[in-house]
């Protein structure tokens, strides 16, 4: 047989008998261990030697490494082949994880185990090279066995790919979220108690309604909820207005409206808030101007609900626009024409035909606005004042003086409940309804014009709003060149020099600016995360679109779930899950990369699904019957046809990694600081000048990256497009990145 | 041509395929001899494609055994089966040239690039497309694309070639030409081929044998002639070349001949194992002869037939080289094709109906 488990078994042995079993203190990429006591030092020893150094519990792992040897001469269709591999792989994986979770730094993790086996003197650290390799090897042995047993038409690649994705999602989405649920029940002494949760969960601090009757503010849970409702409403209405202007009017600048849609992708979330401070804050330009004009006291109204609402509406309206423009365009013109030929007026047509057809799309935009607002961390952080919301409160529960993990966990659960219910509603209630109209086939005909009054209202609202957005971005652009915005408006390059100065020293380049450090870290980590995210997302999309297997719905749900988990919750959960064995990752760059991978994966999955469903399935099948296996098929047939989708996924995950802040702020460390958390730090110190200079550098970098890539694939796509042109619809791999971003 | 084909047989033993609650193939057994072209024919949804895909290994049987070239391949995935398939949509890889498309199967199974290219060239020459290797599939006509798909399947020298409605994307004229090309190629190379179609004329034209499927089971299997002349059921009689089904009675029968009475007229037909009792008779539309109702008691020109059955023409349609009639009679509604267009009968006329025995077949009721 072409595929054999033997190489994987060898890898398992390498992991068990040669490589250091435990995580090294110096980090994954440090190799001092090679000259520093390996292989006998217990920090560096492989598992085989650890067994003799007091870690007898590693002994059973030899069994799954030896057992498969007896079937090495057997053929794949022998039932013993399959069952041996399933037993070995399954046992190995289960035992490895079981012992990892049961025995930690302080001996037994569970008191029942301690009372059964007695107190354990030795301790163990997180999984290192050896343990990870062995775990991977067991996983592949298991999936190879499952394939040999006839699952998934005996396809080892597909079975293993599913196994790997499931293992990764379980480890990096479900484990952390599960950990949060558990942590909410742990009291200060470290014991499980229901009261911890109920006390934290049902406090006035979260659910208080005082604000209705007095000037005391309401609970954070309700604050978040009000804010989310307000933001979702305003973004949906504005988005609809923009969508109508863009599709139903002859407004001259409507083409440029589309530019709006890439803004939120390249804007770090707090930048809008920052610009608002410069314009409308106490010493903001507009505030001062109005105060002088009317001779009134400059107010602090911006810091609190109005400011956050304004900032979020500015930030998320483009997303609503993107969702709704597809919906508004998707309403078939022939339906509107039909209505008009039946004698209905324009207003009537709009009200009776177009609007009902758009309703699912509008609901979708609302839910997305709701989730975005709930999850937003940057704007409340910058503009919050004393209007506390869940996402920031979680942060302060962890980093504040209290460091109350169970409080943070309880808050995270509440936030998660809100976003997950919105997510469920979106999926169950709307299903695919809102998208089918978008994907509808081209339909000739012209959209009905708008009723004049409606048209005037739309234009009157959207034009000023668009101008306002332009002013905001102008502020971001120029803010970095002003000594002290609002007080001393003279031109300076000082902020850029402080942040991004370079100098010469002894003929070599020196990165003098304070921002370089976090800048390069950000670029490096994003550049590492992007291809991994894209690969994981597209692989998952391939499995979802092209393979049939039981549990596929759950599988899909699991991979899309992280979309509905707010960044702050991810951040907290990663800290809770990955600062103790068996996965010790906090403080490393790896945890940042992993966090980006699993947060942005749904985008890659969606994009991949959209692109792959346009590829005729018989292409894969032709390749299979021609003797290529599914891996070769993926590599030689599907991936080349998906190139635009791949690039879109790459760029998107790169950019999102740069702009993300909510999860990152928990996970950065002195060694690995990221641009966004660095900027937040600057803002907290009131150093707006350099903060805004840094932000515009980031925006500039991302814009360049996007344009560059679009130019490169844009051209290639054109050439390909005419190569493909006469082919049937099936073979045109056009990905509209819009469809992807719509999900975001 | 240097193809070294080792035509294989295909055998299904009690194969069943279920998709959840739907049974797409229900306990089907058949066997296809090496070098034969066998057509799977049947109405939409009867399970033809499913059968073909199970031979290819793209679907796996829920139960039963599948053998190719005598080897049990039931659990072998498509990749490991020595079978090639031509898809209805051709499934040419749009990002590869014609040459790369044809060489694809060779490259992935480990041939050196030069040899793969050379063989691809030969394959293209075989289907009459030498010199097209550097074009893209999109730069070919539909018929040429179809031939590339055939070449791509053939260069792997498969034991069995599978074709799923290979002509359905072509226009009517081209369809006839290409089906002749496929048949010639298959016969010249001695290929085993399984061909799916729902067009009975196409099936009659290309096949050595036809397997007619209906509702997940095989309705009848045989040579085109057997199916046409001796349909085993009303379904087959109707599906292959239209038939009028009328009730009659076998008045006496030995194992060769049966005397059958329809209305009051008696005919001698092959008995096909039927005994005395009521029976169904399938009559081809062009074996029903219409004459203007006799004014006097004149005999019809065919001596073999006796007095006609009375009827009247309800519709008469002129189709250039033939007339189609709908006839109301005591036997029920009849569909009649008549090539004598010069003295066409007008709708509304009374006529007398007689049958030509060569177009009649007894069918078990
Ligand atoms: N993937 C599937 N899942 C569920 N049912 C299926 C699937 N594929 C086919 N079927 C069902 O199996 C039956 C046979 O389908 P099949 O495609 O073999 O029909 P066919 O004879 O090729 O028809 P056509 O001439 O229309 O192509 C149909 O009832 C079909 O609905
Ligand atoms: Mg079919």
């Amino acid at each position: 047989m072409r595929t054999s488990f033997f190489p994987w078994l060898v890898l398992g042995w390498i992991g068990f008998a040669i490589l250091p079993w435990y995580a090294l203190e110096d980090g994954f990429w440090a190799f001092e261990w090679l000259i520093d006591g390996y292989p006998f030092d217990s920090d560096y020893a492989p598992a085989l030697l650890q067994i003799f150094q007091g870690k007898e519990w590693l002994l059973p792992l030899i069994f799954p490494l030896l057992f498969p040897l007896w079937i090495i001469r057997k053929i794949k269709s022998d039932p013993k082949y399959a069952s041996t591999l399933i037993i070995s792989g399954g046992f190995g994986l289960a035992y490895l994880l079981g012992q990892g979770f049961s025995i930690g730094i302080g001996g037994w993790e569970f008191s029942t185990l301690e009372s059964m086996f007695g107190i354990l003197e030795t301790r163990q650290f997180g999984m290192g090279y050896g343990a990870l390799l062995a775990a991977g090897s067991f996983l592949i042995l298991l999936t190879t066995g499952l394939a040999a047993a006839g699952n998934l038409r005996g396809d080892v690649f597909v079975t293993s790919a599913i196994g790997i994705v499931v293992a990764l999602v379980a480890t990096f989405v479900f484990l952390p979220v599960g950990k949060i649920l558990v942590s909410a029940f742990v009291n200060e002494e470290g014991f499980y108690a229901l009261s911890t949760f109920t006390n934290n969960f049902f406090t006035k601090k979260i659910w208080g309604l005082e604000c209705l009757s007095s000037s005391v503010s309401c609970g954070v849970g309700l604050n978040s909820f009000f804010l989310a409702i307000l933001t979702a409403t305003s973004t949906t209405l504005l988005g609809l207005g923009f969508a109508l202007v863009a599709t139903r009017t002859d407004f001259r600048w409507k083409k440029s409206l589309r530019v709006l849609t890439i803004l939120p992708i390249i804007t770090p979330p707090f930048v809008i808030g920052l610009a608002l401070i410069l314009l409308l804050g106490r010493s903001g330009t507009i505030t001062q101007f109005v105060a002088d004009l009317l001779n009134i006291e400059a107010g602090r109204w911006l810091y609190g609900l109005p400011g956050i609402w304004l900032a979020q509406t500015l930030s998320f309206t483009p997303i609503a626009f993107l969702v709704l423009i597809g919906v508004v365009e998707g309403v078939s013109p022939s339906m509107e024409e039909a209505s008009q030929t039946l004698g209905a007026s324009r207003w009537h047509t709009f009200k009776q035909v177009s609007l009902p057809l758009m309703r699912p799309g509008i609901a979708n935009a609302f839910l997305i606005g709701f989730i975005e607002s709930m999850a937003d961390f940057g704007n409340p952080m910058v503009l919050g004042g004393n209007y506390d919301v869940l996402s920031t409160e979680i942060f302060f529960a962890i980093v504040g003086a209290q460091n109350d993990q169970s409080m943070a966990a309880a808050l995270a659960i509440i936030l998660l409940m809100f976003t997950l219910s919105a997510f469920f509603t979106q999926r169950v209630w709307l299903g695919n309804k809102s998208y089918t109209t978008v994907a509808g086939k081209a339909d000739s005909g012209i959209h009905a014009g708008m009723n004049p009054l409606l048209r005037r209202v739309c234009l009157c609202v959207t034009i000023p709003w668009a101008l306002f957005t332009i002013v905001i971005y102008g502020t971001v652009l120029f803010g970095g060149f002003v000594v002290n915005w609002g007080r001393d408006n003279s031109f300076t390059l000082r902020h850029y020099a402080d942040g991004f100065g370079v100098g010469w020293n002894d003929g070599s380049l020196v990165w003098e600016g304070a921002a370089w450090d976090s800048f390069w870290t950000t670029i490096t980590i994003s550049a590492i995360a992007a291809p991994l995210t894209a690969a994981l997302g597209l692989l998952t999309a391939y499995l979802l679109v092209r393979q049939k297997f039981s549990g596929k719905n759950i599988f899909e749900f699991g991979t899309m779930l992280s979309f509905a988990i707010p960044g702050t919750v991810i951040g907290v959960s990663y800290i809770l899950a990955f600062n103790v064995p068996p996965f010790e990752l906090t403080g490393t760059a790896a945890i940042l990369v992993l966090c980006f991978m699993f947060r942005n994966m749904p985008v890659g999955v969606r994009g991949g699904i959209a692109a792959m469903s346009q590829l005729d399935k018989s292409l894969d099948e032709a390749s299979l019957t021609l003797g290529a296996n599914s891996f070769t098929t993926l590599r030689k047939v599907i991936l080349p046809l998906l190139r635009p989708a791949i690039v879109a996924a790459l760029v998107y995950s790169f950019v999102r990694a740069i702009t993300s802040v909510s999860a990152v702020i928990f996970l950065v460390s002195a060694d690995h600081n990221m641009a966004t958390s660095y900027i937040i730090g600057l803002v907290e110190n009131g150093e707006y000048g350099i903060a805004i200079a840094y932000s515009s550098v980031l925006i500039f970098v991302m814009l360049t990256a996007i344009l560059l890539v679009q130019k490169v694939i844009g051209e290639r796509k054109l050439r390909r497009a005419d190569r493909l042109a006469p082919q049937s619809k099936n073979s045109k791999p056009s990905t509209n990145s819009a469809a992807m971003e719509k999900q975001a | 041509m240097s193809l070294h084909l080792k035509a294989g047989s295909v055998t299904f033993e009690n194969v069943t395929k279920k998709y959840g609650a739907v049974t797409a193939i229900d306990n089907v057994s058949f066997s296809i001899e090496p070098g034969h072209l066998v057509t799977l024919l049947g109405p939409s949804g009867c399970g033809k494609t499913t059968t073909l895909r199970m031979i290819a290994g793209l679907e796996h049987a829920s139960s039963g055994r599948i053998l190719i070239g005598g080897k049990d391949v039931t659990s072998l995935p498509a990749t490991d089966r020595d079978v090639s398939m031509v898809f209805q949509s051709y499934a040419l890889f749009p990002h590869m040239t014609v040459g790369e498309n044809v060489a694809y199967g060779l490259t992935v199974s480990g041939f050196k690039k030069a040899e793969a290219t050379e063989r691809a060239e030969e394959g293209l020459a075989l289907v009459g497309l030498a010199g097209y290797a550097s074009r893209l599939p999109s730069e070919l006509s539909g018929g040429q694309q179809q031939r590339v798909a055939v070449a791509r399947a053939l260069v792997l020298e498969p034991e069995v070639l599978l074709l799923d409605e290979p002509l359905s994307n072509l226009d009517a004229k081209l369809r006839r030409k290409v089906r002749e090309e496929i048949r010639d190629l298959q016969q010249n190379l001695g290929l085993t081929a399984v061909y799916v179609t729902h067009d009975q004329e196409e099936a009659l034209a290309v096949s050595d044998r036809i397997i007619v499927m209906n509702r997940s089971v095989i309705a009848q299997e045989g040579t085109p002639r057997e199916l046409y002349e001796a349909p085993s059921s009303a379904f087959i009689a109707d599906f292959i070349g239209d038939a009028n089904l009328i009730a009659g009675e076998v008045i006496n029968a030995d194992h060769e001949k049966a005397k059958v009475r329809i209305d009051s007229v008696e005919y001698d037909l092959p008995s096909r194992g039927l005994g005395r009792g009521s029976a169904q008779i399938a009559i081809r539309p062009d074996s029903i002869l219409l004459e203007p109702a006799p004014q006097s008691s004149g005999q019809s020109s065919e001596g073999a037939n006796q007095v006609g059955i009375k009827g009247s023409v309800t519709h008469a349609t002129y189709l250039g080289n033939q007339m189609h009639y709908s006839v109301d009679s005591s036997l029920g509604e009849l569909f009649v094709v008549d090539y004598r267009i010069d003295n066409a009968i007008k709708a509304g006329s009374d006529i007398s109906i007689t049958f030509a025995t060569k177009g009649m077949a007894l069918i078990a009721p």
Side-chain angles (χ1 to χ4, degrees):
Chain A
M1 290 291 89
R2 244 178 291 182
T3 44
S4 155
F5 66 91
F6 189 65
W8 299 105
L9 190 62
V10 172
L11 282 185
W13 272 105
I14 294 177
F16 183 75
I18 299 180
L19 292 174
W21 184 254
Y22 292 113
L24 309 173
E25 257 173 86
D26 320 323
F28 198 81
W29 302 114
F31 291 97
E32 276 129 56
W33 54 274
L34 280 172
I35 46 164
D36 192 24
Y38 173 82
F40 294 109
D41 186 306
S42 71
D43 279 352
Y44 306 136
L48 192 60
L49 298 177
Q50 299 273 10
I51 295 173
F52 303 104
Q53 298 178 356
K55 303 206 172 69
E56 300 83 10
W57 62 82
L58 294 177
L59 183 64
L61 288 173
I62 289 194
F63 161 72
L65 290 168
L66 286 176
F67 188 43
L69 288 172
W70 81 281
I71 49 152
I72 222 128
R73 301 232 152 269
K74 290 221 183 318
I75 53 161
K76 207 153 71 169
S77 48
D78 189 329
K80 293 204 181 67
Y81 179 99
S83 53
T84 302
L85 287 181
I86 293 175
I87 292 171
S88 308
F91 171 80
L93 205 56
Y95 188 80
L96 185 60
L97 291 177
Q99 62 87 25
F101 280 110
S102 318
I103 305 174
I105 309 180
W108 291 109
E109 289 280 320
F110 304 104
S111 41
T112 35
L113 288 171
E114 189 162 285
S115 55
M116 271 166 70
F117 297 104
I119 291 175
L120 209 57
E121 286 305 325
T122 27
R123 47 177 55 200
Q124 72 176 350
F125 303 110
M127 293 165 70
Y129 304 113
L132 290 175
L133 197 61
S137 152
F138 293 144
L139 178 64
I140 303 289
L141 291 185
L142 175 64
T143 54
T144 311
L146 287 172
N151 291 295
L152 288 152
R153 289 188 264 102
D155 196 319
V156 177
F157 168 71
V158 173
T159 321
S160 303
I162 293 177
I164 290 170
V165 175
V166 167
L168 287 176
V169 169
T171 312
F172 294 105
V173 179
F174 288 103
L175 172 67
V177 172
K179 199 85 175 190
I180 267 206
L181 297 182
V182 172
S183 304
F185 293 90
V186 178
N187 64 14
E188 278 157 40
E189 285 84 47
F191 294 112
Y192 292 94
L194 187 63
S195 59
T196 324
F197 178 69
T198 45
N199 288 347
N200 280 333
F201 194 89
F202 297 107
T203 70
K204 261 191 355 195
K205 205 167 153 266
I206 300 176
W207 303 112
L209 275 169
E210 295 84 348
C211 56
L212 297 182
S213 49
S214 68
S215 61
V216 188
S217 76
C218 277
V220 281
L222 290 174
N223 278 352
S224 279
F225 184 71
F226 290 147
L227 175 65
I229 295 285
L230 284 175
T231 303
T233 311
S234 57
T235 52
T236 307
L237 287 178
L238 278 165
L240 185 61
F242 277 109
L244 288 174
V245 170
T247 54
R248 305 293 164 98
T249 64
D250 45 5
F251 179 55
R252 206 144 41 101
W253 303 99
K254 65 183 187 183
K255 284 245 162 55
S256 9
L257 282 182
R258 302 245 172 187
V259 177
L260 265 182
T261 58
I262 58 164
L263 289 180
I265 309 170
I266 56 165
T267 312
F270 46 80
V271 167
I272 303 277
L274 203 50
L276 282 178
I277 292 180
L278 298 187
L279 289 175
L280 298 169
R282 225 165 113 77
S283 52
T285 320
I286 299 180
T287 316
Q288 294 291 338
F289 179 73
V290 173
D292 287 350
L293 201 69
L294 303 180
N295 213 356
I296 50 166
E297 182 76 7
R300 287 182 49 85
W301 63 273
L302 187 67
Y303 300 92
L305 179 63
I308 311 179
W309 182 25
L310 188 58
Q312 291 192 338
T313 307
L314 280 162
S315 308
F316 306 139
T317 295
I319 298 175
F321 172 52
L322 199 59
V323 172
L324 286 166
I325 195 163
V327 177
V328 171
E329 272 176 347
V331 173
S332 155
S334 42
M335 294 216 193
E336 293 180 350
E337 284 172 350
S339 162
Q340 284 184 314
T341 54
L342 294 173
S345 70
R346 283 174 173 186
W347 170 243
H348 225 80
T349 302
F350 180 76
K351 216 179 81 170
Q352 304 287 346
V353 177
S354 318
L355 207 54
L357 284 172
M358 295 172 198
R359 202 172 288 149
I362 292 173
N364 198 16
F366 185 88
L367 288 173
I368 291 177
F370 184 88
I371 295 181
E372 290 282 352
S373 163
M374 273 277 172
D376 185 22
F377 174 81
N379 289 312
M381 187 76 186
V382 173
L383 289 171
N386 47 21
Y387 191 81
D388 297 327
V389 295
L390 285 168
S391 56
T392 49
E393 212 51 22
I394 294 172
F395 177 67
F396 291 122
I398 285 277
V399 297
Q402 35 182 341
N403 189 9
D404 186 349
Q405 291 200 341
S406 39
M407 184 69 204
L411 289 168
I413 289 175
I414 293 165
L415 182 50
L416 203 54
M417 273 171 16
F418 278 124
T419 53
L420 280 185
S421 7
F423 181 68
F424 271 117
T425 319
Q426 189 197 14
R427 290 186 67 88
V428 176
W429 175 46
L430 294 174
N432 289 324
K433 240 187 275 170
S434 49
Y435 294 101
T436 45
T437 51
V438 183
K441 53 172 177 260
D443 191 345
S444 60
I446 308 161
H447 283 296
M450 270 201 292
N451 163 286
L453 181 65
L454 183 65
R455 178 173 184 274
R456 215 166 307 139
V457 171
C458 278
L459 286 177
C460 283
V461 175
T462 52
I463 293 176
W465 192 261
L467 289 177
F468 189 42
T469 308
I470 293 171
V471 170
I472 294 282
Y473 277 89
T475 313
V476 176
L477 206 58
F478 293 116
F481 294 102
V482 170
V483 176
N484 193 340
W485 185 282
R487 301 222 178 85
D488 178 359
N489 284 337
S490 45
F491 175 82
T492 178
L493 285 176
R494 206 186 71 213
H495 302 309
Y496 284 90
D498 283 352
F500 296 96
V502 284
W504 286 96
N505 189 7
D506 292 338
S508 66
L509 197 62
V510 183
W511 306 98
E512 283 170 345
W516 282 121
D517 209 19
S518 58
F519 180 78
W520 289 127
T521 311
T522 303
I523 299 288
T524 318
I525 287 186
S526 306
I528 295 172
L532 294 173
T533 313
L536 185 64
L538 292 170
L539 179 66
T540 308
Y542 166 77
L543 296 173
L544 286 174
V545 176
R546 287 303 210 246
Q547 302 296 335
K548 280 179 285 185
F549 49 94
S550 44
K552 189 160 133 177
N553 284 341
I554 301 172
F555 180 81
E556 176 175 12
F557 179 73
T559 57
M560 298 306 291
L561 184 65
S562 61
F563 174 70
I565 307 179
T568 354
V569 177
I570 293 253
V572 176
S573 69
Y574 269 43
I575 291 201
L576 295 177
F578 299 127
N579 66 350
V580 287
F583 302 104
E584 268 182 302
L585 293 168
T586 39
T588 62
I591 197 169
L592 289 165
V593 171
L594 288 164
C595 171
F596 291 141
M597 276 174 71
F598 291 92
R599 282 207 72 197
N600 299 333
M601 170 179 169
V603 180
V605 175
R606 275 290 145 216
I609 287 180
M612 232 174 276
S613 356
Q614 294 186 338
L615 288 185
D616 192 347
K617 197 169 181 207
S618 62
L619 290 175
D620 311 25
E621 292 177 342
S623 169
L624 291 176
T625 57
L626 290 169
N629 59 28
S630 43
F631 179 64
T632 313
T633 304
L634 185 63
R635 197 163 54 87
K636 290 199 149 182
V637 176
I638 300 180
L639 288 186
L641 290 172
L642 283 186
R643 200 173 297 154
I646 296 171
V647 179
L650 273 178
V651 176
Y652 204 78
S653 28
F654 179 69
V655 166
R656 272 183 65 112
I658 292 184
T659 55
S660 136
V661 58
S662 48
V664 163
I665 206 152
F666 293 89
L667 305 176
V668 290
S669 48
D671 287 343
H672 308 284
N673 200 1
M674 299 282 285
T676 45
S677 70
Y678 184 78
I679 298 177
I680 290 265
L682 291 174
V683 175
E684 284 184 329
N685 294 339
E687 298 179 50
Y688 294 137
I690 180 166
I692 211 127
Y694 200 165
S695 303
S696 34
V697 167
L698 284 185
I699 292 181
F700 177 75
V701 167
M702 289 181 282
L703 204 56
T704 323
I706 289 182
L707 292 181
L708 207 74
V709 167
Q710 269 193 346
K711 198 158 161 44
V712 173
I713 33 161
E715 276 167 9
R716 210 178 273 152
K717 206 161 121 195
L718 267 187
R719 231 182 315 133
R720 267 259 300 294
D722 28 88
R723 280 170 65 158
L724 288 174
Q727 279 290 88
S728 64
K729 58 185 186 320
N730 305 326
S731 41
K732 201 176 286 171
S734 79
T735 332
N736 49 359
S737 45
M740 290 174 59
E741 282 137 21
K742 206 166 295 159
Q743 280 295 322
Chain B
M1 176 61 210
S2 59
L3 280 179
H4 303 287
L5 287 159
K6 38 200 174 342
S9 59
V10 177
T11 308
F12 267 44
E13 289 177 2
N14 305 95
V15 173
T16 297
K17 172 73 192 177
K18 290 199 168 100
Y19 293 107
V22 184
T23 307
I25 296 291
D26 193 4
N27 198 17
V28 161
S29 304
F30 61 80
S31 102
I32 296 173
E33 281 175 42
H36 273 194
L37 191 158
V38 173
T39 314
L40 295 172
L41 177 66
S44 183
C46 68
K48 309 177 294 284
T49 301
T50 307
T51 308
L52 200 71
R53 289 168 60 82
M54 284 199 289
I55 303 177
L58 294 170
E59 303 287 351
H60 278 198
S62 310
S63 67
R65 290 208 316 154
I66 300 172
L67 296 94
I68 294 176
K71 286 191 304 283
D72 187 340
V73 298
T74 315
S75 61
L76 224 52
T79 310
D80 301 334
R81 293 195 190 180
D82 203 356
V83 168
S84 299
M85 182 153 169
V86 175
F87 289 81
Q88 185 172 356
S89 58
Y90 313 147
L92 298 180
F93 307 129
H95 59 300
M96 299 181 192
T97 62
V98 166
E100 285 165 351
N101 261 288
V102 179
Y104 180 84
L106 298 166
T107 346
V108 296
S109 40
F111 279 84
K112 292 251 159 47
K113 191 146 188 268
E115 187 176 356
T117 317
E118 191 181 318
R119 285 183 176 226
E121 269 300 336
E122 284 175 18
L124 283 171
L126 191 68
V127 296
L129 286 178
Y132 283 69
S134 59
R135 294 223 203 163
L136 284 166
S138 55
E139 296 161 350
L140 299 181
S141 75
Q144 288 167 332
Q145 290 182 22
Q146 208 272 345
R147 282 186 273 163
V148 174
V150 171
R152 184 175 70 176
L154 281 183
V155 290
L156 284 175
E157 301 169 359
E159 285 185 67
V160 182
L161 178 66
L162 308 175
L163 304 115
D164 189 3
E165 311 212 12
L167 307 183
S168 60
N169 282 347
L170 304 178
D171 67 50
K173 274 243 174 65
L174 198 55
R175 219 176 282 173
R176 173 163 307 169
K177 180 164 167 283
V178 175
R179 89 179 175 213
E180 278 162 13
E181 285 172 2
I182 292 180
R183 178 61 164 160
D184 285 348
L185 202 60
Q186 180 266 333
Q187 285 185 324
N188 294 342
L189 300 173
L191 269 171
T192 310
V194 186
Y195 188 112
V196 166
T197 179
H198 58 250
D199 179 343
Q200 48 99 7
E201 184 194 318
E202 196 174 303
L204 292 174
V206 297
S207 325
D208 290 307
R209 295 180 74 78
I210 299 177
I211 297 175
V212 186
M213 301 186 66
N214 189 26
R215 301 191 186 172
S216 321
V217 296
I218 295 182
Q220 190 178 357
E221 188 193 337
T223 63
R225 207 179 177 103
E226 282 165 11
L227 290 179
Y228 191 82
E229 292 180 354
S232 66
S233 65
F235 167 77
I236 300 284
D238 192 38
F239 193 74
I240 305 217
D242 291 328
N244 294 287
L245 287 170
I246 55 182
E249 194 180 351
V250 180
I251 30 189
N252 64 59
D254 54 31
H255 56 270
E256 279 223 347
K257 288 273 170 195
K259 196 168 268 303
V260 181
R261 185 161 59 208
I262 299 172
D263 209 57
S264 59
V265 190
E266 287 176 12
Y267 299 89
D268 280 324
L269 298 175
S271 66
R272 303 188 61 208
L274 260 70
R276 293 170 54 130
S278 62
Q280 265 189 315
I281 300 108
I283 307 179
R284 299 291 169 197
D286 56 350
S287 299
I288 303 179
L289 308 169
L290 306 182
E291 297 294 340
Q295 263 72 28
S296 60
S297 60
Q299 279 273 330
S300 109
S301 52
E302 317 274 319
N305 297 314
Q306 296 100 25
V307 207
I309 300 158
K310 289 204 172 7
S312 70
V313 172
T314 54
H315 291 277
T317 314
Y318 170 72
L319 286 170
N321 61 348
Q322 51 187 279
M323 291 296 299
H324 284 186
Y325 298 110
S326 297
V327 174
D328 211 7
S329 77
S330 60
L331 300 170
E333 176 101 353
L334 298 177
F335 171 60
V336 180
V337 174
D338 195 340
Y339 296 99
R340 303 167 301 172
I341 52 168
D342 287 337
N343 39 12
I345 305 168
K346 286 204 181 61
S349 319
D350 284 331
I351 33 94
S352 115
I353 306 162
T354 50
F355 304 126
T357 44
K358 75 164 177 31
M360 298 171 75
L362 261 181
I363 288 170

